Amino acid sequence: SDGALVLTSAAPVYDRNKKNLIGAVILRRILNNEKAIVGRIHESLDIDAVIFKGETLIATNLSSQDETRKKFAKLPSPVRKTVLEQGRPFEAVKIEKGGYLAKYQPLSGMDGKPLAALMVRLDATRYAETRFTAVVSLLGIAFIGFLLAFTIKFIIQRRILKPVGKLTQGTERLAKGDYSYQLPVTSRDEIGLLSQAFNTMAVQLGERDRLKNEFLSNTSHEIRTPLNGIIGIAESLIDGAAGPLPEKAVGNLSMISSSGRRLANLVNDILDFSKLRENEMDLPRHPVDIHVVTDVVLTLAQPLIGKKPLNLVNTIDPEAPLVEGDENRMQQIVLNLVGNAIKFTESGTVE
């Protein structure tokens, strides 16, 4: 009506089958001096609300003694033209002392024409407080996130990285032959199970290493006895225990004796395997004729040729100066080189 702003709502009423329309329910509420609606807006959004009909204030949550109510007692002309005549929203901002943010929204009737205007207003001070609260909240969330990330990092470092580091150290010690090292098992999760498996593996490797050393020691003792017998028999034959021998036979017996002594030295090295593993083997160094060593190696390697058309030639100068070293080790090195050369050469000359 002309004197009041009425909020009307209508809904159809059907029968129990929801097929036949039997009536309608119409609700009407006069908004003049109605504080309930604007009060709910204030309570839910914490903002001031005013309803204008025409240019006149008809409902607000502001008290009659509020200075702000006096400022908004009448709808400003620019707002009235935009909101009531054109039916478009209008926004206003005042940034001075006592400033505010305000928005005017048209309220249209059933015919779509604007009948009134709803204004919502937020004080700049309250807006600043809201932003400050939001900033403080964001900083608090960021701080909590930092603490959470630090806690997760600490947990990961303690429960995963530190045990993995100890496992790496244990692996390095195993690689060096220290089978007595044991990892501490502090949990029953996957890391704990892995540590326990590592300890079991270290014990088994240590036991197998002990059995291997015992086998080498026992085998070396068993080999050394008949080997010394062969060397003794060969040297006694060279010395004429069975009478004079042809020169070729004496040379072959000398070769047997020399090879036997080299094998005996290898057996002694096996018996001293612990020093060899720790790189503490002492090499008896003395002047060695490398030409003679090469001749001995070529003679020993001759049976390796088989039926291959190969010639083994010693090209080292017989007058070459002596070299200081371990004669047995030199023979081993040269024999390995010549053996590989024979193995991978089908015909020709090995020098």
Side-chain angles (χ1 to χ4, degrees), residues 42-58:
H42 176 72
E43 291 175 1
S44 60
L45 301 177
D46 193 24
I47 57 178
D48 298 327
V50 180
I51 297 178
F52 295 93
K53 185 175 183 295
E55 296 182 353
T56 306
L57 185 151
I58 62 171

Side-chain angles (χ1 to χ4, degrees), residues 23-326:
V25 176
I26 299 176
L27 298 177
R28 302 181 65 199
R29 188 160 189 173
I30 300 175
L31 299 181
N32 293 52
N33 297 321
E34 176 60 59
K35 295 184 179 181
I37 295 178
V38 292
R40 291 192 185 97
I41 295 176
H42 176 72
E43 291 175 1
S44 60
L45 301 177
D46 193 24
I47 57 178
D48 298 327
V50 180
I51 297 178
F52 295 93
K53 185 175 183 295
E55 296 182 353
T56 306
L57 185 151
I58 62 171
T60 182
N61 65 296
L62 300 172
S63 64
S64 59
Q65 304 298 326
D66 197 328
E67 292 295 329
T68 305
R69 176 168 180 165
K70 297 178 182 180
K71 294 180 182 179
F72 294 97
K74 190 174 182 181
L75 192 66
S77 296
V79 179
R80 179 183 58 79
K81 182 177 181 181
T82 302
V83 178
L84 296 182
E85 295 181 7
Q86 301 178 5
R88 295 186 294 107
F90 185 89
E91 294 182 358
V93 179
K94 181 181 179 183
I95 59 175
E96 306 158 355
K97 183 178 179 180
Y100 57 84
L101 303 173
K103 183 170 183 178
Y104 297 84
Q105 183 70 31
L107 300 177
S108 302
M110 297 177 65
D111 57 358
K113 296 181 180 180
L115 299 176
L118 171 65
M119 183 203 76
V120 291
R121 183 185 70 90
L122 176 64
D123 287 337
T125 303
R126 195 184 309 167
Y127 176 71
E129 292 176 353
T130 303
R131 292 191 61 183
F132 177 76
T133 303
V135 171
V136 172
S137 299
L138 288 175
L139 291 177
I141 293 173
F143 181 72
I144 293 174
F146 173 77
L147 289 180
L148 183 60
F150 180 80
T151 303
I152 294 175
K153 178 184 176 182
F154 176 77
I155 293 174
I156 292 177
Q157 184 174 4
R158 183 173 181 180
R159 295 180 63 89
I160 299 179
L161 297 182
K162 190 174 181 181
V164 170
K166 291 184 177 179
L167 181 61
T168 303
Q169 294 178 359
T171 305
E172 293 175 352
R173 295 183 65 169
L174 277 184
K176 295 178 180 179
D178 184 6
Y179 301 113
S180 62
Y181 182 77
Q182 294 285 293
L183 291 176
V185 181
T186 57
S187 62
R188 296 184 179 180
D189 55 6
E190 288 77 3
I191 298 296
L193 294 176
L194 182 60
S195 300
Q196 190 172 3
F198 176 87
N199 294 337
T200 303
M201 179 185 67
V203 172
Q204 293 176 351
L205 288 175
E207 180 63 18
R208 293 179 181 180
D209 185 66
R210 184 186 65 81
L211 294 175
K212 178 201 67 177
N213 291 337
E214 290 182 358
F215 172 77
L216 289 177
S217 178
N218 295 333
T219 305
S220 299
H221 280 291
E222 295 295 329
I223 293 176
R224 186 169 60 173
T225 300
L227 189 59
N228 288 332
I230 294 173
I231 296 173
I233 293 173
E235 290 180 349
S236 65
L237 291 175
I238 293 173
D239 293 337
L245 297 175
E247 183 178 352
K248 186 175 182 180
V250 172
N252 291 334
L253 288 174
S254 298
M255 189 66 61
I256 293 174
S257 176
S258 176
S259 299
R261 290 188 180 280
R262 187 171 63 85
L263 290 175
N265 290 330
L266 290 176
V267 171
N268 292 332
D269 291 342
I270 293 175
L271 291 174
D272 203 13
F273 182 72
S274 59
K275 289 185 178 181
L276 183 64
R277 185 174 58 183
E278 299 297 332
N279 295 322
E280 295 179 356
M281 178 64 68
D282 294 329
L283 298 178
R285 293 183 296 180
H286 54 82
V288 178
D289 188 340
I290 193 67
H291 177 79
V292 174
V293 170
T294 304
D295 271 342
V296 173
V297 169
L298 294 182
T299 303
L300 293 173
Q302 193 68 36
L304 300 177
I305 296 177
K307 297 182 180 181
K308 290 183 178 181
L310 282 177
N311 293 322
L312 303 181
V313 180
N314 184 0
T315 58
I316 298 177
D317 187 359
E319 303 297 329
L322 302 180
V323 296
E324 184 178 4
D326 186 345

